[in-house]
């Protein structure tokens, strides 16, 4: 039963008639399955044929892919979430990057020859992995024509995809919007009105070193989380005043034993630490910043309180590294060998593994966790999502 004080809308409501609500989806590779579970729970709290409840959708990396799939099915949120879940429930590593024996050997040999010859025999590789399968997967499932139709019809008011410009050294948010918002610029970021295409998604998800950079209008871009100092700001620039933020990192990380921390960290541990820093921490920091600003404005007798931006953060209740370690055996053998070569074991490499484990056993468990965490906060979610203030 829905809360009597916070009933969801009973039918389609145009974007312009709704309270400006934003959805912010952070990056996180395979961890994005958790966000799918949260969205599935929200869809079940709505009537079967209800539209997407978010007017502004902002995503980075895996979050950008999820956001684009939702935006393309804005007329029927539950249907969009069903499609999203079917993709993530049936993932395999081979749908994201080439992990067959020949591809991995070719990549390893290229890297080795480039290193030992100083780039003389072969040029340095653009990336360790070939993510062409991901492009092919997105071509089948993301419909940019339908996204433009959703914007024109007012089903959503904006879709934003963030990437990092290697030329500028800052975050760039490419956005499409029904009602034009002027581009913005700060010392650490800028927003650019764009005709969103597949290259924007591929650029946003181009994890440094692992996947190749993507050129857009002659400029190369990489993963959007790298330079994203304020990941919530794009949503506020685009008009949202209440933000549902779905993170992929628990508020409290698991404790590592002293016997582990006293050893020299492996390359896999360092890579996992780097990805954790790039993908997971900034949304938490930005939510805290907004909450502090709101407290200050409440203490102020001026009218600044009217301009408050209210965030609602959902994060995992369990550590993804521990979950990934249980499913390490489901990875392709070639990838397991590569990870072992990098020093990844069940404990010390579990953080890196949690970002790369695009396998159904793992993603299904994360979907279930996201669903359960959202349902555990059901009343809070309803109060936030259907509030008129």
């Amino acid at each position: 039963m829905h809360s009597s004080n916070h009933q969801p809308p009973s039918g389609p409501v145009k974007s312009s008639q709704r309270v400006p609500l934003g959805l912010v989806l952070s990056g996180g590779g395979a961890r994005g399955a958790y966000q799918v579970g949260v969205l599935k729970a929200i869809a079940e709290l709505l009537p079967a044929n209800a539209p997407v409840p978010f007017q502004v959708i902002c995503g980075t990396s895996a979050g950008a892919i999820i956001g684009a799939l939702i935006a393309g099915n804005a007329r029927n949120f539950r249907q969009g979430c069903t499609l999203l879940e079917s993709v993530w429930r049936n993932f395999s590593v081979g749908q994201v990057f080439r992990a067959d024996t020949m591809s991995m050997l070719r990549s390893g040999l290229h890297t080795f020859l480039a290193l030992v010859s100083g780039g003389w025999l072969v040029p340095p590789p653009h990336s360790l992995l070939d993510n062409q399968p991901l492009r092919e997967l997105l071509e089948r499932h993301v419909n940019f024509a339908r996204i433009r139709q959703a914007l024109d019809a007012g089903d959503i008011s904006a879709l934003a995809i963030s990437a990092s410009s290697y030329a500028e050294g800052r975050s760039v948010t490419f956005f499409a919007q029904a009602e034009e918002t002027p581009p913005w610029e700060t010392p650490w970021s800028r927003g650019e009105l764009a005709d969103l295409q597949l290259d924007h998604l591929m650029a946003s998800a181009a994890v440094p070193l692992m996947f190749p950079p993507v050129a857009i209008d002659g400029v190369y871009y990489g993963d959007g989380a790298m330079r994203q100092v304020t990941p919530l700001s794009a949503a506020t620039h685009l008009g949202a005043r209440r933000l549902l933020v779905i993170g992929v990192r628990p508020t409290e990380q698991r404790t590592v034993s002293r016997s582990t921390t006293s050893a020299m960290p492996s390359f896999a541990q360092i890579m996992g630490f780097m990805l954790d820093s790039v993908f997971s921490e900034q949304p938490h920091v930005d939510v805290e910043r907004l909450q502090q600003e709101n407290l200050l404005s409440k203490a102020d007798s001026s009218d600044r309180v009217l301009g408050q931006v209210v965030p609602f953060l959902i994060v995992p209740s369990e550590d993804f590294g521990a979950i990934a370690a249980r499913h390490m055996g489901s990875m392709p053998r070639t990838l397991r060998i590569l990870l072992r070569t990098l020093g990844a074991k069940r404990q010390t490499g579990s953080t890196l593994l949690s970002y790369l484990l695009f396998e159904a056993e793992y993603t299904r468990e994360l979907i279930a966790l996201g669903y359960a965490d959202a349902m555990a906060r059901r009343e809070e979610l309803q109060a936030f999502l259907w509030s008129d203030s």
Side-chain angles (χ1 to χ4, degrees):
M1 296 293 291
H2 296 299
S3 169
S4 59
N5 294 326
H6 303 286
Q7 292 287 347
S10 58
V13 181
K14 290 293 183 183
S15 170
S16 59
Q17 297 173 310
R18 302 184 223 158
V19 176
L21 178 63
L23 173 66
V24 179
L25 299 167
S26 62
R31 293 184 177 202
Y34 177 83
Q35 297 172 328
V36 174
V38 173
L39 293 171
K40 176 185 176 182
I42 293 171
E44 291 189 10
L45 297 177
L46 284 164
N49 297 317
V52 62
F54 311 103
Q55 295 76 65
V56 177
I57 301 174
C58 299
T60 301
S61 198
I65 293 170
I66 293 170
L69 282 165
I70 291 297
N73 293 272
R75 281 289 174 95
N76 191 315
F77 184 50
R78 189 174 297 185
Q79 181 177 303
C81 288
T82 299
L83 169 64
L84 190 60
E85 185 185 8
S86 71
V87 173
W88 282 82
R89 281 183 62 83
N90 298 296
F91 249 134
S92 66
V93 165
Q95 292 176 303
V96 180
F97 54 87
R98 301 194 193 283
D100 60 278
T101 302
M102 285 305 298
S103 294
M104 298 299 286
L105 284 174
R106 191 181 302 115
S107 175
L109 182 61
H110 186 153
T111 302
F112 174 75
L113 289 175
L115 285 172
V116 298
S117 70
W120 183 73
L121 288 175
V122 293
H126 297 298
S127 64
L128 294 175
L129 302 170
D130 177 1
N131 63 347
Q132 178 62 26
L134 177 61
R135 177 178 285 274
E136 294 167 1
L137 179 74
L138 296 181
E139 283 178 339
R140 293 195 299 272
H141 292 290
V142 181
N143 190 323
F144 287 95
R146 285 177 60 180
I147 292 173
R148 286 187 285 273
Q149 290 170 6
L151 288 163
D152 292 340
D155 299 321
I156 56 174
S157 62
L159 172 65
I161 297 172
S162 293
S164 298
S165 168
Y166 284 110
E168 298 176 57
R170 59 176 172 172
S171 175
V172 178
T173 297
F174 299 100
F175 67 93
Q177 192 173 38
E179 297 180 4
E180 189 170 331
T181 292
W184 65 87
E185 189 159 353
T186 73
W188 52 83
S189 68
R190 66 178 175 87
E192 178 180 318
L193 187 64
D195 178 18
L196 297 178
Q197 303 290 345
L198 184 55
D199 278 345
H200 294 98
L201 283 183
M202 293 299 294
S204 183
V207 181
L209 301 180
M210 293 186 182
F211 298 148
V214 177
I216 299 173
D217 296 328
V219 177
Y220 281 94
Y221 293 86
D223 197 284
M226 287 191 290
R227 289 287 186 168
Q228 202 170 40
V229 178
T230 54
L232 311 188
S233 64
T236 60
H237 276 294
L238 294 169
R241 286 297 172 265
R242 290 180 301 121
L243 307 177
L244 177 65
V245 185
I246 309 178
V248 292
R249 180 178 183 269
T251 303
E252 296 182 3
Q253 292 285 77
R254 63 189 171 129
T255 301
V256 181
S257 66
R258 291 184 63 86
S259 61
T260 300
T261 57
S262 62
M264 174 70 75
S266 67
F267 184 82
Q269 281 180 276
I270 294 171
M271 281 290 292
F273 181 84
M274 181 193 76
L275 291 178
D276 229 18
S277 301
V278 167
F279 282 126
S280 304
E281 293 180 352
Q282 208 55 49
H284 296 242
V285 174
D286 213 15
V287 166
E288 289 181 9
R289 176 185 63 80
L290 279 180
Q291 290 170 336
Q292 290 170 356
E293 288 180 1
N294 290 342
L295 287 173
L296 288 173
S297 65
K298 283 180 180 178
D300 192 337
S301 60
S302 71
D303 291 334
R304 285 195 302 139
V305 69
L306 298 177
Q308 279 191 356
V309 177
V310 182
F312 186 102
L313 176 65
I314 295 183
V315 294
S317 58
E318 297 182 27
D319 178 72
F320 286 166
I323 298 173
R326 295 200 296 269
H327 297 289
M328 188 172 186
S330 66
M331 295 196 86
R333 185 169 178 270
T334 52
L335 197 56
R336 292 203 306 273
I337 292 172
L338 174 62
L339 289 173
R340 280 202 299 271
T341 303
L342 298 177
K345 299 178 181 178
R346 287 191 180 273
Q347 183 176 11
T348 59
S350 60
T351 299
L352 176 60
L353 187 65
S354 70
Y355 289 100
L356 297 179
L357 192 49
F358 289 95
E359 292 291 338
E361 290 182 14
Y362 175 64
T363 57
R364 290 179 184 186
E365 188 164 346
L366 295 198
I367 290 171
L369 178 63
Y371 180 88
D373 285 351
M375 284 301 189
R377 300 180 66 183
R378 176 177 180 155
E379 291 188 5
E380 291 178 80
L381 262 176
Q382 288 175 316
F384 181 78
L385 294 172
W386 322 137
S387 172
D388 291 327
S389 60

